[in-house]
Amino acid sequence: MRLCCPQLQRMRLHVLTTAMAGKTCRRARSPRTPQLRLMYIIYEAANIPLGLKLAEEAKSTGSFDLVLWTPYHLPNHDYVSQCSSDLGFLYVNEVTASGGLANIHGRISSWLTATPRAPADVFCSRKTLTRPQLVDKLDQEFKSQFEQFVDHALRRTSFCDVIIARLNIDAVLMAEDNPERDSAMWIAAARNRNCVSMVVSYGDLDPTETLSAYATSERHRTPNHLVADTYRVMPHWCAEIDGGTITRLPLPQSLAMICIGCDYRNPWIVNTGSADIVGVESQALLERHVSLGADRRRLHLVGHPIKDTMADTVVNRAQLRSTVEERELIIVAIPPDQTGHRGTEFGSYESVQDAFLLPLMQEGTRVIVSLHPNCSEAHRSRLQALGYTVSDEPLAKILPLADLFVASVSSTIKWALSCGIPVLNYDIYDYGYDTYDGSAAVQTVSSLHAYREAISRWRDPAEQRRRKTAATADSARWGPPEGGSMQRIISLIRAYGSL
């Protein structure tokens, strides 16, 4: 789990609670005194666009205050920090660029409330822990790891509880609830403070991703003499691999998550924890959540704020497409550099970029490149120096203009499908996801040879008509961009929390 070490966590909790104890604080609400104060947790760069959409909505409507919080130090920290000044939201990073503790209290002091949210007394503590007999069967090293993680998780939950209470947060939002993050601790703390917890999902679900990532990890392997007891206590955390059994997190941590009340219905995918609301953007994704074990009662079809941006482009598509000069428009979302982590037929990231783009270049076709947020400025400059058009606009703003969308197992594929745009999915890192196997609008290939052949077939007008017809027919399942998702999210939070 990617959290700060226990020593830093204890220090942070002590300093924060001591600094805030007995302090007379100002309520830094806007002049219009919004009824809601939302907190959005950011775990990676891909989570940031939704946070900024929330900030824009808060500034334009004045209907809620916003706190953007990250347990880490984001690579684009300076950009988010500048946006916080421009849009008037509170942005807090717990860790500095050098890995030390950030000055959290200095950031939040003007936002503290003099009347913290009252607890609901549902907090998990060592007194209320359930200890399966399996704990007693662990060897000394595993038992020590179990105790350390329980201590760490409870301290982290207490820290989250203090923050939610003193900032008077009404709802905690996040882009995904992942057992490897601290999302379960935020959700537990929110429940203790009668605060709504909501996942605004954006990614795809594939149960094989995590399994393949840890199939060879010795830390995740269950000792043979504990396999039977592990299956008895937590079968949903177990998976069979060649030569043995692994658990979703290393066994001591998996067991600790259950003991502290942070269990998941299916820990091998995200969003199956205990968040009050899981907002999904389309009927197709709602069905996929259910098929993989999510609680249907928690799922709500809300769309996604990013697709509100797409809705504006869809409305003005004809006018905007006139700037393409009637040429075919292919938009390419090049994946980030994973050449050091995934198997590929290419030896460098530059070769990966060239593999995507060179076969597309043809007279009468315009190609626009959209780079992944993790791509460096050097990679952008290289492509521009080679004469490629690299867009500075968010992908959601330009994607509805495309005739064909080329991507690599990206969560943005579903955006293209919602707009009725055919997709060529070049699985260049060989993930093998089956998310779009049943869609006639998506063609998936996994080699350069097959990719070139797929592009050649696309050049056939009859093939284009067939793929576009299939994409149009399938668009309703993927949630056509229609706007209003932000309002649906806020209304759902108000209704759930009676706010």
Side-chain angles (χ1 to χ4, degrees):
M1 174 170 282
R2 287 173 281 185
L3 299 172
C4 301
C5 69
Q7 293 83 358
L8 288 179
Q9 190 63 58
R10 284 194 289 270
M11 183 187 304
R12 177 183 289 118
L13 182 61
H14 172 72
V15 171
L16 192 65
T17 53
T18 301
M20 293 192 298
K23 182 177 177 66
T24 302
C25 305
R26 296 179 284 138
R27 291 178 67 93
R29 303 276 179 142
S30 72
R32 285 170 281 188
T33 315
Q35 298 179 15
L36 287 179
R37 176 167 283 181
L38 308 184
M39 172 181 279
Y40 176 66
I41 312 297
I42 300 176
Y43 290 111
E44 56 187 35
N47 299 165
I48 293 174
L50 174 55
L52 297 184
K53 290 290 289 185
L54 286 165
E56 292 169 359
E57 180 75 9
K59 183 176 179 64
S60 64
T61 66
S63 58
F64 60 90
D65 276 338
L66 180 65
V67 177
L68 259 57
W69 192 285
T70 178
Y72 315 118
H73 186 276
L74 299 173
N76 40 5
H77 166 83
D78 293 341
Y79 170 68
V80 180
S81 182
Q82 182 59 51
C83 289
S84 73
S85 298
D86 296 341
L87 296 174
F89 61 85
L90 174 63
Y91 168 56
V92 180
N93 55 294
E94 294 186 35
V95 179
T96 65
S98 60
L101 288 175
N103 180 17
I104 295 176
H105 184 259
R107 293 276 186 86
I108 70 176
S109 60
S110 63
W111 283 61
L112 296 175
T113 177
T115 54
R117 297 182 69 89
D121 295 326
V122 296
F123 221 34
C124 180
S125 67
R126 285 197 170 274
K127 294 181 180 179
T128 61
L129 282 179
T130 58
R131 264 179 90 94
Q133 291 183 349
L134 175 57
V135 175
D136 299 325
K137 297 183 179 182
L138 300 178
D139 63 28
Q140 191 56 46
E141 182 181 357
F142 269 22
K143 192 175 294 185
S144 175
Q145 292 175 12
F146 167 80
E147 296 292 348
Q148 288 176 11
F149 186 78
V150 166
D151 179 72
H152 172 67
L154 291 179
R155 289 181 182 277
R156 181 63 186 177
T157 309
S158 296
F159 169 79
C160 298
D161 183 71
V162 169
I163 295 299
I164 290 172
R166 294 313 306 267
L167 288 176
N168 202 16
I169 301 297
D170 296 297
V172 174
L173 284 71
M174 58 194 70
E176 67 176 24
D177 176 16
N178 189 329
E180 293 187 47
R181 312 282 195 179
D182 67 351
S183 52
M185 289 75 175
W186 282 106
I187 290 169
R191 185 184 308 111
N192 186 56
R193 293 290 170 173
N194 290 310
C195 175
V196 179
S197 57
M198 180 176 185
V199 176
V200 184
S201 68
Y202 76 102
D204 297 327
L205 301 178
D206 193 291
T208 65
E209 179 180 8
T210 305
L211 183 60
S212 61
Y214 297 121
T216 60
S217 170
E218 288 299 320
R219 293 182 64 244
H220 290 72
R221 186 177 292 271
T222 304
N224 290 335
H225 69 284
L226 294 176
V227 169
D229 286 316
T230 303
Y231 265 105
R232 179 177 54 80
V233 173
M234 47 183 193
H236 52 305
W237 286 77
C238 302
E240 289 297 313
I241 59 170
D242 290 340
T245 300
I246 62 172
T247 48
R248 172 62 179 85
L249 300 174
L251 178 58
Q253 295 184 20
S254 296
L255 190 57
M257 291 289 281
I258 294 175
C259 291
I260 65 175
C262 292
D263 200 357
Y264 286 78
R265 289 168 65 98
N266 180 359
W268 296 93
I269 63 169
V270 297
N271 306 339
T272 64
S274 56
D276 296 321
I277 304 167
V278 178
V280 295
E281 65 180 74
S282 68
Q283 182 64 32
L285 286 175
L286 188 150
E287 294 169 0
R288 187 158 178 82
H289 271 79
V290 172
S291 70
L292 292 173
D295 186 346
R296 177 63 183 86
R297 296 168 298 176
R298 301 179 191 270
L299 298 173
H300 296 265
L301 187 57
V302 297
H304 197 282
I306 301 299
K307 291 172 72 173
D308 291 353
T309 300
M310 296 172 63
D312 295 336
T313 304
V314 169
V315 170
N316 299 300
R317 187 178 191 277
Q319 178 182 352
L320 294 170
R321 271 303 302 263
S322 64
T323 62
V324 186
E325 302 171 356
E326 301 301 323
R327 289 187 290 169
E328 176 187 56
L329 175 60
I330 299 178
I331 294 180
V332 185
I334 296 182
D337 184 4
Q338 299 180 46
T339 52
H341 310 287
R342 303 285 308 184
T344 176
E345 59 186 307
F346 304 101
S348 68
Y349 185 53
E350 289 75 16
S351 298
V352 168
Q353 293 178 325
D354 294 341
F356 266 90
L357 296 175
L358 287 175
L360 295 172
M361 308 313 293
Q362 176 176 301
E363 187 176 353
T365 298
R366 182 177 181 187
V367 176
I368 296 180
V369 180
S370 177
L371 292 178
H372 191 276
N374 290 339
C375 285
S376 69
E377 189 59 36
H379 289 136
R380 172 185 292 272
S381 299
R382 172 183 179 271
L383 292 177
Q384 289 173 329
L386 292 172
Y388 294 112
T389 301
V390 181
S391 176
D392 293 322
E393 297 284 358
L395 178 60
K397 193 169 183 178
I398 62 173
L399 181 54
L401 304 177
D403 294 298
L404 175 68
F405 181 51
V406 178
S408 181
V409 294
S410 170
S411 60
T412 58
I413 288 175
K414 61 186 184 300
W415 293 355
L417 295 178
S418 72
C419 296
I421 298 170
V423 176
L424 177 51
N425 177 27
Y426 184 6
D427 188 3
I428 200 166
Y429 295 121
D430 197 26
Y431 278 96
Y433 294 168
D434 64 356
T435 308
Y436 305 104
D437 283 359
S439 175
V442 180
Q443 181 178 6
T444 299
V445 297
S446 57
S447 70
L448 180 58
H449 175 73
Y451 179 61
R452 286 171 171 162
E453 285 191 338
I455 294 171
S456 295
R457 286 195 297 273
W458 170 258
R459 303 297 185 195
D460 180 359
E463 174 69 6
Q464 290 190 16
R465 287 193 296 270
R466 185 189 69 80
R467 296 275 302 282
K468 288 179 179 179
T469 299
T472 300
D474 205 27
S475 63
R477 283 189 65 245
W478 295 97
E482 57 186 5
S485 61
M486 187 70 75
Q487 290 71 32
R488 287 190 288 274
I489 290 170
I490 300 302
S491 296
L492 193 57
I493 291 172
R494 290 186 185 278
Y496 193 95
S498 300
L499 300 170

